[in-house]
Amino acid sequence: MELNWQGETLHCTDEGTADDAVLFLHGLGGNANNWLHQRRAFAQHHRVITVDLPGHGRSTGTGIPFAQYADAAGAVLDHLRIDAVSVVGLAMGARVGIALAARSPHRVRRLTVVNGCLELPPREHERRVALYDLLLRPGGVREWAQALLEGMGVSGHAGIARGFLTSADRIDPAHVNAVFHQVDALDQVEEFRALVVPVQLIVGERDHLVPTSSTDQLIALAGDARISRFSGTGHLPYLEDPAAFNRALEDFLHGQAASADGVSRDTALR
């Protein structure tokens, strides 16, 4: 499906017929097809929405600033006449979900943050900037992609690595670099701290892109969020172990956000 928004074309998918809608938001440089395992599984019992965010996948809009991505997601929900939705976002997609939940708490039922990060310690920040600035060098896209695979902890997954490298050949490197810097500059700490919706944090413990200190900050800010740790996965648990990921997400969507005594649940998944 597609819709016109601010003179651009946004592509999205709408699968399943249940009233309980779930919106999946991809990470930087990704697209709606990243969620194929979840689309197939969750469409059986939910209405499943995915979107190619501006300038990603088949959507146009490389000139749309990151600060407006939540508006784009909201426009998709308006187009599909969806009043309320649970949101699942990876990394950059999680930042979009945070903005949507902060600005429209009546519209977001629950928020799942997959390997999210609001701030990086200085040395890690410098490394991340250098990594994404590779995209501006001649031949730097392949070097960036290889380094990112290592950082995500998924280079040992042959299928994921092949798919990622193929996708990397199709990105607009200048656009991905520009959006990285926009996301990096956007301070969402207070937005996240003030969220009133139930939150789930999914952490792949082999993910080297998100340092432990940044994960700890997110956990501290999230209050009574459900924390689901995947000891055997990296940055992409929904691809590395989709069955376990889907179970953890389904539990949360069914209201298992906290234990009976109100203390956040920290579960280890293998």
Side-chain angles (χ1 to χ4, degrees):
M1 299 178 62
E2 65 180 42
L3 66 146
N4 293 321
W5 177 74
Q6 294 196 6
E8 305 292 348
T9 300
L10 298 178
H11 283 261
C12 61
T13 67
D14 181 8
E15 299 161 289
T17 58
D19 293 332
D20 186 10
V22 186
L23 171 65
F24 289 90
L25 297 171
H26 61 77
L28 178 57
N31 59 70
N33 286 336
N34 297 159
W35 299 105
L36 281 177
H37 290 300
Q38 287 65 47
R39 287 165 57 181
R40 291 167 181 158
F42 283 87
Q44 299 177 45
H45 305 290
H46 301 268
R47 185 175 180 186
V48 176
I49 313 302
T50 62
V51 57
D52 288 342
L53 290 164
H56 290 74
R58 293 178 296 166
S59 292
T60 64
T62 55
I64 299 292
F66 173 73
Q68 294 183 25
Y69 280 20
D71 297 332
V76 169
L77 298 179
D78 289 341
H79 178 73
L80 298 176
R81 299 182 180 179
I82 296 174
D83 295 326
V85 67
S86 296
V87 178
V88 183
L90 167 71
M92 180 196 76
R95 300 285 295 267
V96 177
I98 291 167
L100 187 62
R103 299 171 194 174
S104 305
H106 63 283
R107 174 157 248 179
V108 177
R109 291 193 182 104
R110 294 175 180 273
L111 173 65
T112 295
V113 173
V114 184
N115 287 318
C117 176
L118 295 176
E119 293 178 335
L120 292 169
R123 184 172 296 180
E124 182 59 34
H125 179 264
E126 291 174 6
R127 284 197 289 263
R128 190 73 62 85
V129 169
L131 172 63
Y132 276 85
D133 283 351
L134 287 174
L135 291 168
L136 303 182
R137 292 186 191 173
V141 171
R142 184 50 64 111
E143 186 178 353
W144 165 81
Q146 293 286 4
L148 201 56
L149 281 170
E150 291 291 333
M152 291 191 295
V154 299
S155 58
H157 292 262
I160 294 175
R162 282 195 303 271
F164 184 80
L165 292 173
T166 298
S167 296
D169 290 336
R170 299 171 181 163
I171 66 168
D172 179 335
H175 174 244
V176 171
N177 174 271
V179 175
F180 162 76
H181 284 285
Q182 291 170 27
V183 175
D184 182 53
L186 186 62
D187 185 350
Q188 289 184 281
V189 170
E190 291 307 317
E191 271 190 332
F192 186 73
R193 191 199 307 272
L195 290 181
V196 296
V197 303
V199 174
Q200 176 186 34
L201 303 179
I202 292 182
V203 179
E205 295 194 330
R206 294 186 180 180
D207 179 17
H208 306 300
L209 282 184
V210 180
T212 301
S213 61
S214 297
T215 299
D216 290 344
Q217 178 200 36
L218 206 62
I219 291 171
L221 292 172
D224 63 352
R226 179 187 179 101
I227 318 299
S228 299
R229 299 180 184 272
F230 286 72
S231 61
T233 73
H235 195 65
L236 308 175
Y238 60 95
L239 290 178
E240 297 167 77
D241 192 349
F245 178 92
N246 292 351
R247 285 195 301 271
L249 177 57
E250 192 71 74
D251 283 348
F252 178 65
L253 296 180
H254 284 159
Q256 305 300 316
S259 60
D261 59 4
V263 178
S264 64
R265 297 178 60 186
D266 194 328
T267 55
L269 303 164
R270 298 182 185 275

